[in-house]
Amino acid sequence: MTLSYCTNVHPAEDLRGVLAQLDRYAVPVRDRVGGELGLGLWLSAPVAKALAEDPARRAGLRTALDARGLVVRTLNAFPHGGFHDEVVKHAVYHPDWTTTARLDYTLDCATVLADLVPEGGAGSISTLPLAWRHPWSEADHARALDVLAEAAAGLRALADGTGRTIRLAVEPEPGCVVDTVADAVRVLAGRVDPDHVGICLDTCHLAVSFADPAAAVRSIADAGLRVVKVQASAALELTDPADAPAVLGPFAEPRYLHQVRALVDGRVHRADDLPEAFAELPTGGPWRVHFHVPLHAEPPAPLRAEPPAPLRATTDVLREAVAAVREVGHDPDVEVETYTWSVLPDAGERGTGDLAEWDLVEGIAAELRWAAAELPLEVRS
């Protein structure tokens, strides 16, 4: 398993911006962790299209990455664009897998990645879990599976033409058509080409679902599917939500959707965002929140209430999931995906405390060092 960090944390909507963000952040991160650095690159749809249509531009990007000591084996093709808009929320699920726009974007990303992966290597592309769950009809479902089949055919043709295998990884996410790993197995097994379409295991999403990590991974393998990619991420868990609005209120920010699940008497209760959770969810068991928190700060010190609240990060789920992936013999790309640095409570402050003093370069480097030590994985590509 190779380790990268995902560049969707950087707001860059054109190629010049992508390279500027790499110079500002990725190169200093590389210097801090040593050796070549793996990237999970994010490209907006217009950038991916421009690169896919121009081999010379792709060659130029590969040269620029090589010169900076940066290696790309995986792309994050979940956000189509505007991932750092003032409000993202449900917009991140558009266009969905019923559309040719999603197909075209994905195949453009695959064309680009085929020219970026190291010689003899394969690549992976994570994508959205078909769509947000509503509105969604049987006709939409059938259409999405047909479009996925077109994507697999395009990836086969790309492999035949280039000798580079690029695999698509469908990423279960709470609230979506493919909400859980169990949904992914039910929807995909026997209906997709497992050589070219598999699963992206986002361990924040996995934790929020309250699934058993080892059992979830085994179910993927038993169904003849592949864990193509792991997004190494952690959710927030509030073990005693009696005072949830006071403890979690600072995380209820306007840009991203923060789905919440509560486990009470063996049943999982659902809310689509923190404000709904405060109004609707029972408080008789732990809550888990879709809010990616830095891996190395468990729990992040300045995020605690005073006196300290029962707030933790679900890095245990990440550890168990990676161990289970090893157990079944899969070899996915692993991508650290904490895109929420700019919306963390205290993100704009520079006081004392683990995160109040953070700078993004050191934060990313610290997460990579944590993953190297705790999973364990090699930081250098």
Side-chain angles (χ1 to χ4, degrees), residues 368-381:
L368 291 169
R369 289 191 291 263
W370 183 96
E374 297 290 332
L375 295 180
L377 291 168
E378 177 59 60
V379 172
R380 297 174 183 83
S381 175

Side-chain angles (χ1 to χ4, degrees), residues 203 230 232-233 295 314-323 370 375:
T203 57
V230 173
S233 55
L295 301 179
T314 60
T315 47
D316 55 333
V317 173
L318 167 57
R319 291 186 186 93
E320 291 174 33
V322 170
W370 183 96
L375 295 180

Side-chain angles (χ1 to χ4, degrees), residues 297 300-303 346 349-359:
L303 309 186
D346 301 327
E349 298 180 9
R350 293 296 181 268
T352 58
D354 291 346
L355 290 184
E357 294 180 329
W358 68 264
D359 69 81

Side-chain angles (χ1 to χ4, degrees), residues 3-157:
L3 182 64
S4 305
Y5 94 85
C6 185
T7 67
N8 68 356
V9 66
H10 306 312
E13 297 283 335
D14 57 39
L15 186 56
R16 178 177 295 180
V18 169
L19 293 175
Q21 295 283 29
L22 296 182
D23 285 334
R24 183 176 180 184
Y25 296 109
V27 171
V29 170
R30 180 211 64 199
D31 292 342
R32 295 195 189 195
V33 301
E36 291 183 326
L37 177 67
L39 296 182
L41 199 60
W42 177 71
L43 303 171
S44 69
V47 173
K49 180 178 176 61
L51 288 166
E53 291 176 345
D54 190 339
R57 285 189 181 186
R58 298 198 300 275
L61 176 58
R62 174 66 183 266
T63 298
L65 291 165
D66 289 346
R68 291 163 171 81
L70 305 172
V71 179
V72 176
R73 289 186 173 86
T74 185
L75 295 188
N76 187 324
F78 195 128
H80 191 262
F83 194 55
H84 290 269
D85 287 352
E86 187 174 336
V87 178
V88 178
K89 298 291 183 179
H90 293 87
V92 76
Y93 307 112
H94 298 284
D96 64 34
W97 269 102
T98 65
T99 67
T100 56
R102 176 59 60 175
L103 173 66
D104 292 345
Y105 173 49
T106 304
L107 292 179
D108 285 345
C109 285
T111 298
V112 175
L113 184 56
D115 277 3
L116 298 184
V117 294
E119 192 69 33
S124 61
I125 298 175
S126 49
T127 190
L128 76 163
L130 302 191
W132 187 248
R133 70 181 183 279
H134 57 73
W136 191 253
S137 66
E138 290 185 7
D140 291 331
H141 200 78
R143 169 63 179 160
L145 290 176
D146 286 344
V147 178
L148 273 180
E150 291 184 60
L155 295 174
R156 283 196 301 273

